[in-house]
Amino acid sequence: MSYRDPFDVISSTVDLDDPAEHDDAQRFMVNALARVIECLPVTAQSSVLAAKRYLEGAATDSEALAVRERLWETIRGRDMSNDPEVLRVRTTICALHGMDAEAPYDKLEYFLMFWERSGLSMVELAGAMFDTYGVVYHDV
């Protein structure tokens, strides 16, 4: 395990296979995105707000799905690109996926991978990790 890898730090702290941890993982992703919302493309910014409403129970599964579909549409044909804007949209898409479905480890790992590759602030990510999981992460 690498303490420089945020996924390793989180997965060594919690059991993501435990359904009780899924809400925290979802909260972590949305909290992290809210910390960098001004760095996201406009379509992703409004989607972070939709993800917050979903977490609070103020939006339905179908509403979250519709937001995800709109995000995919904005990157159609570029979805495999390493362009930071595309990666930031994909990071936001991860936060709109329910953790209770298949492969919660994968969803969090993709979120973190897209975050890092897009150049979003690791300091803000560390703050969200501490707020959600109580772990200290240093990107050194």
Side-chain angles (χ1 to χ4, degrees), residues 90-107:
R90 293 203 63 189
T91 304
T92 307
I93 290 169
C94 288
L96 284 158
H97 274 281
M99 293 298 289
D100 57 342
E102 302 167 14
Y105 274 99
D106 290 345
K107 289 174 190 159

Side-chain angles (χ1 to χ4, degrees), residues 22-38:
H22 295 173
D23 286 346
D24 279 347
Q26 199 81 44
R27 241 183 305 291
F28 160 69
M29 289 187 283
V30 173
N31 179 12
L33 286 167
R35 290 167 170 265
V36 296
I37 198 165
E38 70 283 349

Side-chain angles (χ1 to χ4, degrees), residues 1-14 129 135-137:
M1 175 179 75
S2 166
Y3 286 102
R4 292 187 57 195
D5 182 341
F7 180 77
D8 285 348
V9 172
I10 292 171
S11 63
S12 70
T13 304
V14 298
M129 288 172 67
V135 296
V136 176
Y137 168 74

Side-chain angles (χ1 to χ4, degrees), residues 16 22 30 95 100 110-111 117:
L16 291 171
H22 295 173
V30 173
D100 57 342
Y110 283 129
F111 172 85
R117 288 185 182 173

Side-chain angles (χ1 to χ4, degrees), residues 96-127:
L96 284 158
H97 274 281
M99 293 298 289
D100 57 342
E102 302 167 14
Y105 274 99
D106 290 345
K107 289 174 190 159
L108 186 58
E109 190 166 29
Y110 283 129
F111 172 85
L112 294 166
M113 177 185 68
F114 294 141
W115 180 286
E116 288 184 84
R117 288 185 182 173
S118 75
L120 288 169
S121 170
M122 296 306 286
V123 170
E124 295 297 345
L125 183 73

